[in-house]
Amino acid sequence: MKKILITGGAGFIGSHVVRRFVNKYPEYQIFNLDALTYAGNLENIKDIEKQPNYTFVKGDIVDEIFINELFSIHNFDGVLHLAAESHVDRSIEDPLAFVKTNVIGTMNLLNAAKNQWKDNFYDKRFYHISTDEVYGSLGVEGLFTETTPYDPNSPYSASKASSDHFVRAYGETYGLPYVLTNCSNNYGSYHFPEKLIPLFINNIINNKPLPVYGDGNYTRDWLFVEDHAIAIDLVFHEGKNHETYNIGGFNEWKNIDLVKLLCQIMDQKLGRPEGSSQSLITYVKDRPGHDLRYAIDATKINKELGWKPSVTFEEGLERTINWYLNNEEWLKNVTSGSYKDYYKKQYS
Ligand code: NAD
Ligand code: TYD
């Protein structure tokens, strides 16, 4: 039985990856390591917590001694590393927290894997999950490819870029068998309501202002989270060692157009008069260093591994909105406590 460590499995994307792996691979023993920060929530994976091939481990990847012990106890065959501080706005407030988790935490995992596997890298794999934000900002044209030079602009993307460099360096220097993916913006269920789509759904439900940064003409490439989990599964099993794959939705939206679409669907779902949600749109001060546009060229993963998004944006958004409307209790739970302080600080 293979032992697979998934980090950050109580977060948004990680919970979808853990669910997929636990259900699809009964022959794997899945260990979900998560510190349960504000973004991590065991409710996100409640449906699989009793499966015999699943173990949850609460712990911090920044704690080197703990990570080394964990590896020596379990001798993992593979690592899927998703644990991270992931929100750009929070990285502007507290960059060091991002260096600790995203850089030092990744280093601890790399060292533990290298030391554990050094005598035999056969059939071992370290999979680092990263973001397209490491490439910086596009102008109105062009797409990010795997060879686009790194040019991060936010403390978040700088910390992710740094961790990507270390992963590649461990591959080149020590021969660590790694794969790395850089993905565009995800959306879907269990997404913490600090990011655009879940934040705005929650605010519409509660008739709160929709804070659009700057003029709203920033562009993101949106991918349904379950399609990202499918891509991660594929790359983990079939990706080539020491290779990077870009993952994207082929689905670019200007923020303001996306927000207007969301408003329209929410009015219909909530039975509110047309235009009610749109009247909540409030243009607010721009995010410092705000990247104008992200867009992924996912040709490589398509050609080499046969992946492409399976869910249209129309269907994905419909499923996402329905999920939030059917899970208002989840939304209420995650927006209590420290969320209120964060919200006040960020938006007042
Ligand atoms: P998230 O913020 O929803 O979840 C992060 C998880 O990591 C949480 O469960 C949290 O408790 C855990 N965590 C944080 N610090 C930790 C630590 N020190 N030790 C152990 N666990 C810790 O993030 P997400 O959106 O699910 O992103 C997952 C990964 O995918 C990240 O590496 C992110 O950079 C990358 N990514 C995200 C997106 C996106 O659109 N969300 C797009 C591309 C790549
Ligand atoms: P976000 O979901 O934070 O993802 P990222 O910054 O990693 O792309 O933001 C998506 C876009 O939405 C980005 O251009 C910033 C913008 N945005 C707002 O206009 N208002 C908000 O309150 C938030 C959170 C984001």
Side-chain angles (χ1 to χ4, degrees):
M1 191 181 231
K2 276 196 170 180
K3 286 184 167 184
I4 308 292
L5 176 69
I6 301 181
T7 71
F12 166 47
I13 302 170
S15 63
H16 286 275
V17 173
V18 165
R19 178 174 299 103
R20 184 175 177 86
F21 272 64
V22 166
N23 288 331
K24 191 171 164 202
Y25 300 108
E27 70 275 25
Y28 291 171
Q29 185 66 37
I30 304 294
F31 292 81
N32 172 12
L33 168 64
D34 199 296
L36 300 182
T37 68
Y38 78 91
N41 186 351
L42 289 178
E43 287 294 311
N44 298 1
I45 31 166
K46 201 151 182 51
D47 52 320
I48 51 99
E49 72 183 4
K50 296 213 163 64
Q51 300 275 46
N53 64 336
Y54 173 73
T55 306
F56 176 71
V57 182
K58 184 172 187 295
D60 188 340
I61 58 169
V62 181
D63 183 344
E64 184 186 356
I65 295 169
F66 163 75
I67 291 295
N68 289 340
E69 269 175 20
L70 192 71
F71 272 74
S72 65
I73 293 168
H74 295 294
N75 198 4
F76 300 114
D77 299 289
V79 177
L80 288 92
H81 175 36
L82 294 101
E85 287 292 341
S86 68
H87 189 37
V88 174
D89 293 327
R90 288 186 193 253
S91 81
I92 295 167
E93 282 304 307
D94 185 8
L96 201 54
F98 284 66
V99 175
K100 285 182 185 155
T101 288
N102 299 357
V103 186
I104 308 285
T106 302
M107 287 296 291
N108 287 338
L109 292 165
L110 285 169
N111 281 329
K114 169 173 86 68
N115 294 336
Q116 191 73 49
W117 299 340
K118 66 173 180 279
D119 295 329
N120 187 4
F121 281 141
Y122 174 72
D123 221 17
K124 303 286 192 268
R125 173 152 277 191
F126 190 101
Y127 181 178
H128 182 61
I129 282 87
S130 192
T131 166
D132 60 354
E133 304 193 24
V134 297
Y135 298 122
S137 183
L138 290 164
V140 285
E141 285 185 355
L143 298 170
F144 295 134
T145 71
E146 287 78 2
T147 54
T148 302
Y150 275 30
D151 189 18
N153 292 313
S154 73
Y156 164 63
S157 54
S159 67
K160 290 297 290 187
S162 171
S163 63
D164 291 9
H165 289 320
F166 275 110
V167 171
R168 289 199 184 95
Y170 272 55
E172 293 306 312
T173 308
Y174 307 110
L176 187 85
Y178 77 87
V179 279
L180 199 162
T181 50
N182 297 92
C183 188
S184 63
N185 287 61
N186 286 215
Y187 70 98
S189 53
Y190 302 107
H191 202 184
F192 194 77
E194 63 184 353
K195 310 276 169 59
L196 183 76
I197 291 181
L199 173 74
F200 280 31
I201 292 174
N202 189 37
N203 283 13
I204 291 171
I205 293 172
N206 295 298
N207 273 309
K208 280 168 69 176
L210 306 176
V212 172
Y213 294 160
D215 59 8
N217 284 320
Y218 295 90
T219 300
R220 297 292 182 264
D221 171 3
W222 293 94
L223 175 68
F224 190 54
V225 65
E226 291 175 30
D227 273 327
H228 190 188
I230 293 172
I232 288 174
D233 182 353
L234 198 61
V235 171
F236 184 69
H237 290 99
E238 292 176 31
K240 282 200 210 113
N241 269 338
H242 294 209
E243 288 284 333
T244 293
Y245 300 88
N246 278 356
I247 305 170
F250 301 98
N251 179 39
E252 286 186 51
W253 283 82
K254 278 196 172 151
N255 291 343
I256 191 63
D257 296 336
L258 171 54
V259 169
K260 285 181 179 163
L261 175 66
L262 203 58
C263 288
Q264 203 187 319
I265 305 173
M266 290 296 286
D267 282 347
Q268 285 164 7
K269 298 260 176 207
L270 294 168
R272 293 181 186 167
E274 206 183 314
S276 350
S277 299
Q278 212 166 296
S279 69
L280 297 170
I281 292 176
T282 313
Y283 291 92
V284 299
K285 194 163 131 275
D286 211 348
R287 171 188 280 175
H290 198 166
D291 287 329
L292 177 68
R293 178 171 161 257
Y294 304 142
I296 283 278
D297 178 352
T299 307
K300 179 175 170 182
I301 188 171
N302 176 250
K303 287 237 163 79
E304 292 186 13
L305 304 181
W307 177 89
K308 63 175 193 306
S310 67
V311 173
T312 62
F313 191 50
E314 200 181 26
E315 183 194 337
L317 206 52
E318 169 88 13
R319 280 170 62 181
T320 302
I321 292 171
N322 287 345
W323 186 85
Y324 282 95
L325 292 174
N326 291 328
N327 289 275
E328 282 199 53
E329 204 51 38
W330 181 93
L331 259 180
K332 279 204 188 99
N333 288 343
V334 300
T335 52
S336 63
S338 64
Y339 180 85
K340 291 203 171 72
D341 299 330
Y342 160 77
Y343 198 91
K344 210 164 142 194
K345 207 165 164 211
Q346 179 65 21
Y347 294 106
S348 64

